[in-house]
Amino acid sequence: MNDSNRHKGLRNQLVETIRKKGIKDKMVLNALSKVPRHLFMDSGFIDFAYQDKPFPIGADQTISQPYTVAFQTELLEVESGDKILEIGTGSGYQTAVLIELKAEVYSIERQKELYTKAKKFLPKVGYVPKKLVHGDGYAGLPEHAPFDGIIVTAGAPYVPKALLGQLKIGGKMVIPVGDNVQVMTVFTRTGEQKFEKLEYGDFRFVPMLKEKNS
Ligand code: SAH
């Protein structure tokens, strides 16, 4: 797979743009400078890969805007070895960023086509998730819980209770909540039945839909 000096140069410029927009976490910026985003998009669109914009990836879905990926990842406060659940594998780009941060990533995708593509593609570019699942993110992965962190990369009309219940005490869930516009929300589990909630402004995501689509 081709990752040329030109791609690396464009990627460094993109990371600089994201830094100027307010992302401070050096580990997150470093991870974004490593992941070859152009390879996560169809080859015809490679010229768009290093713009700070979302882009269609098929099945009516998008690869998230790099700034949004950085913003959510920064809020997640990933530490090496953390067990992270991602909802919405999509292109696998966010998955790769988490793996760069040395997380053990479990990721669920509802669209069969995208799940199959990511499962083949990620190991080819050197990113091996702990587990990719074709399923419904609303249910999470109770058999692999609890998680140090949960990141939802689709707009959730409400906060799925099942996901909150799969957090470790001290763990965080980063989730955009809302219908047309989503408020980036972080829940920290502070006790068995206790959660702290903080909000971080408006974003727009493709909707988190119910059940899997074969
Ligand atoms: N993290 C992805 C973002 C993809 S967009 C990336 O970096 O490319 C959001 C993704 O969430 C889409 O692929 C969509 O199919 C998926 N999705 C929507 N509802 C879901 C659900 N209930 N469970 C799992 N995935 C879901």
Side-chain angles (χ1 to χ4, degrees), residues 32-182:
L32 265 88
S33 75
K34 294 266 173 65
V35 182
R37 188 170 187 258
H38 63 287
L39 300 179
F40 291 72
M41 295 169 44
D42 291 336
S43 52
F45 301 124
I46 274 178
D47 286 347
F48 296 90
Y50 296 110
Q51 297 182 11
D52 189 22
K53 291 189 179 149
F55 212 79
I57 51 169
D60 282 337
Q61 303 305 324
T62 58
I63 178 169
S64 300
Q65 180 178 349
Y67 172 73
T68 306
V69 171
F71 193 84
Q72 285 196 279
T73 310
E74 186 170 63
L75 289 175
L76 198 59
E77 296 181 18
V78 181
E79 285 181 16
S80 170
D82 275 0
K83 202 168 141 186
I84 304 290
L85 174 63
E86 176 191 24
I87 310 301
T89 316
S91 67
Y93 178 69
Q94 172 76 69
T95 318
V97 169
L98 293 168
I99 295 172
E100 275 292 348
L101 290 167
K102 302 194 167 54
E104 273 187 13
V105 186
Y106 295 73
S107 185
I108 311 179
E109 172 55 53
R110 166 185 177 276
Q111 297 271 6
K112 184 77 182 264
E113 176 191 336
L114 297 176
Y115 157 78
T116 309
K117 200 168 166 187
K119 195 164 170 85
K120 275 201 203 127
F121 170 72
L122 280 169
K124 268 199 213 159
V125 282
Y127 295 110
V128 183
K130 190 83 179 167
K131 203 164 181 65
L132 292 186
V133 176
H134 174 225
D136 180 8
Y138 280 93
L141 287 179
E143 64 277 34
H144 297 288
F147 296 96
D148 295 292
I150 300 180
I151 178 168
V152 179
T153 70
Y158 60 89
V159 180
K161 281 232 169 64
L163 296 182
L164 287 174
Q166 291 173 29
L167 275 179
K168 281 186 193 168
I169 295 188
K172 282 182 195 302
M173 172 157 82
V174 180
I175 179 170
V177 187
D179 289 315
N180 297 323
V181 177
Q182 292 85 31

Side-chain angles (χ1 to χ4, degrees), residues 176-189:
V177 187
D179 289 315
N180 297 323
V181 177
Q182 292 85 31
V183 178
M184 192 63 77
T185 310
V186 177
F187 289 91
T188 306
R189 189 170 199 171

